PDB file of all heavy atoms in Angstrom:
ATOM      1  N   ALA A   2     104.237  60.532 104.699  1.00 76.00           N
ATOM      2  CA  ALA A   2     103.629  59.207 104.752  1.00 76.00           C
ATOM      3  C   ALA A   2     102.461  59.123 103.780  1.00 76.00           C
ATOM      4  O   ALA A   2     101.848  60.129 103.426  1.00 76.00           O
ATOM      5  CB  ALA A   2     103.156  58.920 106.174  1.00 76.00           C
ATOM      6  N   ALA A   7      93.907  48.785 100.734  1.00 98.00           N
ATOM      7  CA  ALA A   7      93.958  47.638  99.840  1.00 98.00           C
ATOM      8  C   ALA A   7      92.613  46.921  99.832  1.00 98.00           C
ATOM      9  O   ALA A   7      91.975  46.754 100.880  1.00 98.00           O
ATOM     10  CB  ALA A   7      95.062  46.685 100.265  1.00 98.00           C
ATOM     11  N   ALA A  59      74.382  66.343  96.252  1.00 98.00           N
ATOM     12  CA  ALA A  59      73.859  67.522  95.530  1.00 98.00           C
ATOM     13  C   ALA A  59      74.760  67.816  94.331  1.00 98.00           C
ATOM     14  O   ALA A  59      75.561  68.752  94.341  1.00 98.00           O
ATOM     15  CB  ALA A  59      73.781  68.717  96.466  1.00 98.00           C
ATOM     16  N   ILE A  98      78.428  70.234  87.268  1.00 98.00           N
ATOM     17  CA  ILE A  98      78.988  71.252  86.369  1.00 98.00           C
ATOM     18  C   ILE A  98      80.355  70.747  85.906  1.00 98.00           C
ATOM     19  O   ILE A  98      81.236  70.482  86.738  1.00 98.00           O
ATOM     20  CB  ILE A  98      79.138  72.591  87.103  1.00 98.00           C
ATOM     21  CG1 ILE A  98      77.794  73.061  87.638  1.00 98.00           C
ATOM     22  CG2 ILE A  98      79.757  73.649  86.189  1.00 98.00           C
ATOM     23  CD1 ILE A  98      77.908  74.052  88.775  1.00 98.00           C
ATOM     24  N   LEU A 102      89.290  70.847  80.108  1.00 98.00           N
ATOM     25  CA  LEU A 102      90.571  71.515  79.886  1.00 98.00           C
ATOM     26  C   LEU A 102      90.795  71.825  78.402  1.00 98.00           C
ATOM     27  O   LEU A 102      91.327  72.876  78.066  1.00 98.00           O
ATOM     28  CB  LEU A 102      91.732  70.668  80.421  1.00 98.00           C
ATOM     29  CG  LEU A 102      91.695  70.320  81.912  1.00 98.00           C
ATOM     30  CD1 LEU A 102      93.009  69.660  82.324  1.00 98.00           C
ATOM     31  CD2 LEU A 102      91.402  71.533  82.774  1.00 98.00           C
ATOM     32  N   PRO A 145     108.196  61.641  82.734  1.00 98.00           N
ATOM     33  CA  PRO A 145     109.651  61.678  82.686  1.00 98.00           C
ATOM     34  C   PRO A 145     110.107  62.152  81.304  1.00 98.00           C
ATOM     35  O   PRO A 145     109.595  61.678  80.285  1.00 98.00           O
ATOM     36  CB  PRO A 145     110.050  60.210  82.920  1.00 98.00           C
ATOM     37  CG  PRO A 145     108.876  59.602  83.618  1.00 98.00           C
ATOM     38  CD  PRO A 145     107.669  60.301  83.076  1.00 98.00           C
ATOM     39  N   ALA A 156     107.672  73.559  93.407  1.00 98.00           N
ATOM     40  CA  ALA A 156     106.811  74.041  94.488  1.00 98.00           C
ATOM     41  C   ALA A 156     106.263  75.430  94.204  1.00 98.00           C
ATOM     42  O   ALA A 156     105.180  75.782  94.686  1.00 98.00           O
ATOM     43  CB  ALA A 156     107.591  74.041  95.798  1.00 98.00           C
ATOM     44  N   THR A 164     101.160  73.219  79.702  1.00 98.00           N
ATOM     45  CA  THR A 164     101.280  72.269  78.601  1.00 98.00           C
ATOM     46  C   THR A 164     102.448  71.319  78.868  1.00 98.00           C
ATOM     47  O   THR A 164     103.343  71.602  79.653  1.00 98.00           O
ATOM     48  CB  THR A 164     101.513  72.981  77.257  1.00 98.00           C
ATOM     49  OG1 THR A 164     102.765  73.685  77.302  1.00 98.00           O
ATOM     50  CG2 THR A 164     100.383  73.958  76.963  1.00 98.00           C
ATOM     51  N   GLY A 169     106.635  59.749  75.817  1.00 87.00           N
ATOM     52  CA  GLY A 169     105.661  58.772  76.297  1.00 87.00           C
ATOM     53  C   GLY A 169     104.233  59.277  76.359  1.00 87.00           C
ATOM     54  O   GLY A 169     103.325  58.535  76.736  1.00 87.00           O
ATOM     55  N   ALA A 185      95.086  69.460  97.644  1.00 98.00           N
ATOM     56  CA  ALA A 185      93.686  69.023  97.696  1.00 98.00           C
ATOM     57  C   ALA A 185      93.311  68.582  99.104  1.00 98.00           C
ATOM     58  O   ALA A 185      94.123  68.012  99.834  1.00 98.00           O
ATOM     59  CB  ALA A 185      93.452  67.875  96.717  1.00 98.00           C
ATOM     60  N   ARG A 216     106.708  60.736  92.563  1.00 98.00           N
ATOM     61  CA  ARG A 216     107.384  61.011  93.837  1.00 98.00           C
ATOM     62  C   ARG A 216     107.116  62.425  94.341  1.00 98.00           C
ATOM     63  O   ARG A 216     107.138  62.662  95.552  1.00 98.00           O
ATOM     64  CB  ARG A 216     108.886  60.790  93.679  1.00 98.00           C
ATOM     65  CG  ARG A 216     109.279  59.327  93.547  1.00 98.00           C
ATOM     66  CD  ARG A 216     110.732  59.151  93.163  1.00 98.00           C
ATOM     67  NE  ARG A 216     111.125  57.747  93.195  1.00 98.00           N
ATOM     68  CZ  ARG A 216     112.128  57.244  92.490  1.00 98.00           C
ATOM     69  NH1 ARG A 216     112.840  58.038  91.695  1.00 98.00           N
ATOM     70  NH2 ARG A 216     112.423  55.961  92.576  1.00 98.00           N
ATOM     71  N   ILE A 228      96.222  56.082  99.051  1.00 98.00           N
ATOM     72  CA  ILE A 228      96.435  55.165  97.945  1.00 98.00           C
ATOM     73  C   ILE A 228      95.373  54.079  97.988  1.00 98.00           C
ATOM     74  O   ILE A 228      95.262  53.332  98.973  1.00 98.00           O
ATOM     75  CB  ILE A 228      97.833  54.542  98.017  1.00 98.00           C
ATOM     76  CG1 ILE A 228      98.906  55.628  97.994  1.00 98.00           C
ATOM     77  CG2 ILE A 228      98.039  53.546  96.864  1.00 98.00           C
ATOM     78  CD1 ILE A 228     100.310  55.130  98.318  1.00 98.00           C
TER      79      ILE A 228
END
Side-chain angles (χ1 to χ4, degrees):
I98 302 158
L102 301 188
T164 63
R216 288 170 173 155
I228 302 169

